[in-house]
Amino acid sequence: MENNEEKFIKYIIEEYNDYNVNINNLRKNLDLYKAVSKKINHNPENEVEKILNMFFINIYNSLDVLLILIDKRKISDTNVIARKIVEIYIKNEYLKKNDKYKHYYRKKYCEHAKHLYTLIKAHSRAKDIIKNPLWINRNLIIKENKELYKDEKEGTLTKLEDSIEKMAKEVGLLYLYKVTYADWSSSTHCNMCTEGEIKYETKTGFKYDMPGEDNGNKKVNVNVINKINYILYLFIESFCSQLAICNGQLDRFKKNNQFTTWDLCTGSVSSVNQIASKVVKYYWGVEESFDEFDEKRIFESDELVLKRTCGLEELVRMTEQEIQGYLMLK
């Protein structure tokens, strides 16, 4: 007879894998973002609030688009938008931990300078660019870049990581990066390994997924939706906390909703670690701790993967046997 703990674990697994439950959670997140959007300051004066607002609006709009893409069952495009949401979340955690919002805000002038230079070089006639915002703000751009250059010369310029992976590593989110951003980047860059995302099988063979056409019963991977649901909540929790808004609303939301994802076992969310450990023990009878994550044990460089291709075939065969044995026990 199952005890309460075993029933709870089975319930969580069913919830995690249920497509409609995850879509419903996504809509709940959208409602939460809509409510919070009514409380934001549209004319912030400090850099932190300006950046947080930009991050929030980008995620809010991306979430709105995400639901449309999921409804239309556009797998590849859903991954692209999901990747953007992950990037913003990791970037905000990096800036928050290091208190680098001001330096991140100043960096925009460096980016504007590059674009202004390109704008000028690309047009042989100056009159063609006089109404361009970059040209209009050229003096401010030059002034700010001179100050940045001065700080760099004096050794007082705060360096910012350009790599999302390095940001993730610094704030303890490397595993999250690996199983989301890095994985979904294949869709963003149209790598050939994602060909299956734009094709579906019919009785007469495979067809490409075209706009406005029925693509069979293909659905966006429920794991993608589940991860994004959790990240959406983590960001909005941080956002509201930093700006001291909607805390009561957030508490009610947290009380009435539970987002669980096994892939966020980085040690930063203890409840996820505990549940994941219980699941492993319940189904495989093995004591496994998720508090320490050895990412080298799971992820290898492209070079190592190429060197171990022969070993990969054997690993696949062994895994297939293990899965077959598990299915026979069910």
Side-chain angles (χ1 to χ4, degrees):
M1 182 178 293
E2 292 180 327
N3 58 36
N4 289 335
E5 182 179 345
E6 291 169 343
K7 289 180 180 178
F8 173 73
I9 292 172
K10 291 183 71 174
Y11 169 76
I12 289 295
I13 293 173
E14 289 171 2
E15 289 279 294
Y16 172 76
N17 288 300
D18 190 285
Y19 188 82
N20 292 325
V21 167
N22 279 279
I23 293 296
N24 188 43
N25 285 340
L26 206 59
R27 297 191 185 283
K28 289 179 181 178
N29 259 318
L30 182 64
D31 290 339
L32 177 62
Y33 273 71
K34 184 178 181 180
V36 172
S37 70
K38 296 176 182 178
K39 302 293 183 180
I40 67 172
N41 176 15
H42 287 263
N43 296 287
E45 295 183 0
N46 65 76
E47 292 92 346
V48 175
E49 194 170 359
K50 287 179 180 180
I51 294 168
L52 286 172
N53 281 358
M54 184 181 72
F55 287 169
F56 172 83
I57 296 301
N58 268 275
I59 289 184
Y60 183 20
N61 287 330
S62 294
L63 173 54
D64 189 45
V65 171
L66 197 67
L67 280 162
I68 296 172
L69 292 172
I70 291 173
D71 184 58
K72 291 182 175 294
R73 293 176 288 194
K74 303 300 180 183
I75 298 173
S76 184
D77 300 287
T78 297
N79 291 348
V80 172
I81 298 298
R83 176 181 181 266
K84 176 185 176 181
I85 293 173
V86 173
E87 177 173 346
I88 295 173
Y89 169 64
I90 291 175
K91 188 176 289 185
N92 186 54
E93 290 302 298
Y94 169 77
L95 295 176
K96 180 174 68 174
K97 179 182 177 181
N98 298 280
D99 192 22
K100 292 184 176 181
Y101 287 104
K102 181 179 179 179
H103 308 291
Y104 181 77
Y105 187 81
R106 291 182 72 196
K107 188 179 178 181
K108 76 173 186 176
Y109 294 108
C110 182
E111 295 167 350
H112 285 166
K114 294 176 184 177
H115 295 152
L116 178 60
Y117 179 83
T118 302
L119 176 73
I120 295 171
K121 295 293 287 185
H123 292 80
S124 56
R125 297 183 302 179
K127 67 176 185 178
D128 293 337
I129 64 172
I130 56 176
K131 292 184 179 181
N132 190 289
L134 288 170
W135 178 254
I136 294 171
N137 292 295
R138 62 194 180 280
N139 292 328
L140 175 62
I141 294 171
I142 293 170
K143 173 180 172 292
E144 291 293 336
N145 273 277
K146 283 183 176 179
E147 291 183 10
L148 286 168
Y149 182 71
K150 178 184 175 183
D151 290 347
E152 184 178 36
K153 285 292 185 181
E154 294 176 352
T156 59
L157 182 65
T158 300
K159 298 293 185 180
L160 294 171
E161 290 288 358
D162 290 323
S163 164
I164 296 299
E165 182 175 4
K166 289 180 179 178
M167 290 184 188
K169 187 174 183 179
E170 188 166 327
V171 295
L173 294 173
L174 183 60
Y175 183 70
L176 172 63
Y177 167 87
K178 294 282 190 180
V179 297
T180 56
Y181 185 94
D183 189 27
W184 302 336
S185 291
S186 296
S187 298
T188 303
H189 302 305
C190 202
N191 293 351
M192 278 308 299
C193 64
T194 63
E195 184 182 17
E197 295 175 357
I198 59 167
K199 296 175 73 174
Y200 61 97
E201 192 171 6
T202 68
K203 292 181 179 179
T204 57
F206 284 95
K207 286 190 67 177
Y208 284 108
D209 180 12
M210 301 290 188
E213 295 183 5
D214 183 13
N215 64 354
N217 292 314
K218 214 167 187 181
K219 291 182 178 180
V220 173
N221 191 324
V222 69
N223 292 323
V224 174
I225 306 171
N226 188 281
K227 292 184 180 78
I228 286 301
N229 266 323
Y230 200 81
I231 293 166
L232 286 167
Y233 175 75
L234 291 177
F235 174 81
I236 199 73
E237 183 179 45
S238 178
F239 177 81
C240 290
S241 175
Q242 287 178 268
L243 296 182
I245 60 172
C246 302
N247 290 326
Q249 208 161 15
L250 201 65
D251 288 340
R252 289 191 294 274
F253 182 85
K254 188 175 181 179
K255 183 178 179 181
N256 296 324
N257 299 280
Q258 180 177 1
F259 300 115
T260 306
T261 175
W262 310 130
D263 290 312
L264 279 177
C265 47
T266 60
S268 59
V269 188
S270 60
S271 61
V272 173
N273 293 337
Q274 292 163 4
I275 294 173
S277 298
K278 290 177 181 178
V279 169
V280 172
K281 182 179 179 182
Y282 178 71
Y283 281 103
W284 291 280
V286 177
E287 294 282 356
E288 182 69 56
S289 171
F290 290 87
D291 291 330
E292 294 295 331
F293 176 73
D294 180 10
E295 64 109 10
K296 290 182 180 179
R297 182 169 59 89
I298 306 297
F299 303 106
E300 296 181 329
S301 66
D302 291 345
E303 184 181 358
L304 282 173
V305 170
L306 289 173
K307 287 181 178 179
R308 295 181 55 171
T309 302
C310 294
L312 177 62
E313 185 176 8
E314 177 64 13
L315 180 62
V316 169
R317 187 186 66 80
M318 291 172 61
T319 306
E320 288 173 345
Q321 292 176 349
E322 183 178 341
I323 293 173
Q324 187 64 33
Y326 167 70
L327 292 176
M328 291 176 64
L329 292 173
K330 290 188 69 176

